[in-house]
Amino acid sequence: KVYKKLLEKVTTSGIPIISIGFGSEDYSQMINISNRSGAGKKDTGYFTEISSMNLKEVFDKIFYSITKSYKIIWKPTFSEKNKEIIVGINVSFRNRNGEIKKAKFSFSYITQ
């Protein structure tokens, strides 16, 4: 009953659920939830038969995939030094439910 409720919420929320399973149990429900949530396949969206020895490696992999999803590299096209530049970035993307999400970021930068 709990599994069915969670599966319904995962299917409609669009939030990826990453699963980590210890030992050699039956992970089929856990794997299904991760797959249906859009988290990804084995060693991306779910990790099975994990031992305490490689748990740090799993968390490092998850952390890297979350924080390094997008990278923007830019360089000013002029050579004036010690000039403050205000940078504005607008980001939009479509989630797995087809909804468009938007975010705005701004920061200042001093040329060197």
Side-chain angles (χ1 to χ4, degrees):
K1 191 173 184 172
V2 173
Y3 169 71
K4 272 185 144 179
K5 264 187 155 174
L6 181 58
L7 194 57
E8 283 176 26
K9 286 188 182 223
V10 162
T11 304
T12 59
S13 73
I15 299 170
I17 306 294
I18 298 171
S19 303
I20 302 171
F22 286 93
S24 55
E25 304 294 322
D26 177 14
Y27 297 114
S28 58
Q29 289 182 336
M30 178 189 86
I31 291 168
N32 192 32
I33 286 173
S34 292
N35 283 335
R36 293 279 291 274
S37 75
K41 300 293 181 198
K42 185 170 175 56
D43 295 332
T44 303
Y46 64 90
F47 301 82
T48 56
E49 300 181 13
I50 301 303
S51 70
S52 58
M53 299 293 281
N54 60 355
L55 187 59
K56 182 188 179 313
E57 178 184 320
V58 169
F59 280 110
D60 286 346
K61 196 170 193 175
I62 293 168
F63 176 78
Y64 180 80
S65 72
I66 292 170
T67 59
K68 304 298 181 193
S69 295
Y70 301 98
K71 186 175 188 180
I72 298 171
I73 300 171
W74 67 282
K75 183 177 180 181
T77 56
F78 53 86
S79 59
E80 190 176 340
K81 293 184 186 264
N82 295 321
K83 179 175 178 152
E84 181 180 25
I85 300 171
I86 306 298
V87 179
I89 300 172
N90 294 319
V91 178
S92 66
F93 61 94
R94 190 176 303 274
N95 68 12
R96 71 176 198 83
N97 291 334
E99 302 164 322
I100 295 176
K101 301 292 184 176
K102 295 181 179 186
K104 292 181 181 184
F105 304 94
S106 68
F107 59 92
S108 63
Y109 172 81
I110 305 292
T111 60
Q112 298 179 0

